[in-house]
Amino acid sequence: MNKADVFGALHRNRLPGDPLVLPGPWDAASARVFAEAGFPALATPSAGVAAALGHEDGHTPADEMFAAVARIVRAVDVPVSADVEGGYGLAPKELVERLLEAGAVGCNLEDSADGVLKDPHQHAEWLAEVRTAAGDRLFLNARVDTFVRGVTDPERAIERAALYVAAGADCVYPIGAPAGVLPLLRSGIEGPLNVHALPGEGPSPAELGELGATRITFGPGLQQRATAALREIAAGLRTG
């Protein structure tokens, strides 16, 4: 079984309360830490990688992002999925080729740009083209940005999710969804459900799993926690 198959299998037959927890490495060193801790797979956060490369979130050049993903992939033996934001304007075939060249087994793709939601039908058509180009070589996680763009009605997220699943998405990610609406989203969305968690805050991964999450990611949260710890160390060096 190749790494892409292994990654896909990790999403299947999950029990409530036992979601797939995917830490988000921002460089090779953090990836090794998470792999050595025993996590079976990893998922890079675009914002965390951007910070590590010295860029603002959403402003990382495509070449730098793919190079960073490749370094992370080379550093570990476990499967790595990559957050590639909105695809950097690449045609589906080229996007898939770049992901595979970097060694990624999956990708996270957003349905908003410049703070504005994309037309869901057009986005679904684009996702279908990515699916066709990728075949079974990539696990597609379709991010649904309604909640982070001020659309709080869960039904709007469910409608978009249905279009994306029909287009070939393997997983749906309603980022920013409040924990209280997760059971409704779970009942209305087919297939695996990705939920964002805050490290050390809010419901635990197990609790989010009980509410319907299939898998848990943390966005840039882990990188930000590491940066905060480094600030404390640095302050101690100056005052110690």
Side-chain angles (χ1 to χ4, degrees):
M1 186 180 292
N2 61 37
K3 285 186 178 180
D5 291 336
V6 169
F7 189 69
L10 288 170
H11 294 76
R12 294 192 287 272
N13 302 317
R14 310 275 337 168
L15 297 174
D18 182 33
L20 173 62
V21 177
L22 297 174
W26 53 94
D27 60 12
S30 58
R32 290 194 185 101
V33 169
F34 295 137
E36 290 168 1
F39 290 97
L42 308 174
T44 69
S46 61
V49 173
L53 295 174
H55 297 292
E56 294 295 323
D57 184 22
H59 291 83
T60 306
D63 288 349
E64 291 191 40
M65 183 62 75
F66 287 114
V69 171
R71 287 191 294 272
I72 289 169
V73 169
R74 288 196 301 268
V76 296
D77 292 328
V78 299
V80 177
S81 182
D83 181 350
V84 288
E85 304 177 272
Y88 307 111
L90 300 173
K93 185 175 184 296
E94 184 178 359
L95 175 61
V96 168
E97 289 173 351
R98 297 291 298 272
L99 284 161
L100 294 175
E101 286 172 1
V105 300
C107 62
N108 187 71
L109 295 167
E110 304 170 3
D111 73 343
S112 66
D114 300 321
V116 178
L117 288 166
K118 298 177 181 178
D119 177 272
H121 295 277
Q122 293 178 1
H123 186 62
E125 291 176 3
W126 182 76
L127 285 174
E129 293 180 25
V130 175
R131 173 83 283 160
T132 297
D136 61 359
R137 297 176 295 173
L138 290 174
F139 187 95
L140 303 185
N141 185 38
R143 206 176 89 172
V144 177
D145 289 0
T146 51
F147 292 100
V148 295
R149 302 303 176 210
V151 181
T152 58
D153 183 355
E155 292 300 329
R156 303 291 80 78
I158 291 171
E159 289 169 0
R160 285 176 173 258
L163 290 171
Y164 304 161
V165 170
D170 298 294
C171 185
V172 175
Y173 178 18
I175 186 171
V181 306
L182 291 181
L184 176 60
L185 294 176
R186 175 66 285 165
S187 65
I189 293 176
E190 181 181 350
L193 186 66
N194 188 144
V195 173
H196 176 263
L198 298 172
E201 301 178 35
S204 68
E207 289 168 336
L208 291 172
E210 292 285 357
L211 292 172
T214 309
R215 81 180 209 179
I216 306 294
T217 53
F218 303 91
L222 297 169
Q223 183 268 333
Q224 291 168 350
R225 285 282 298 272
T227 299
L230 192 57
R231 286 196 183 98
E232 292 184 9
I233 294 171
L237 294 176
R238 288 182 59 85
T239 60

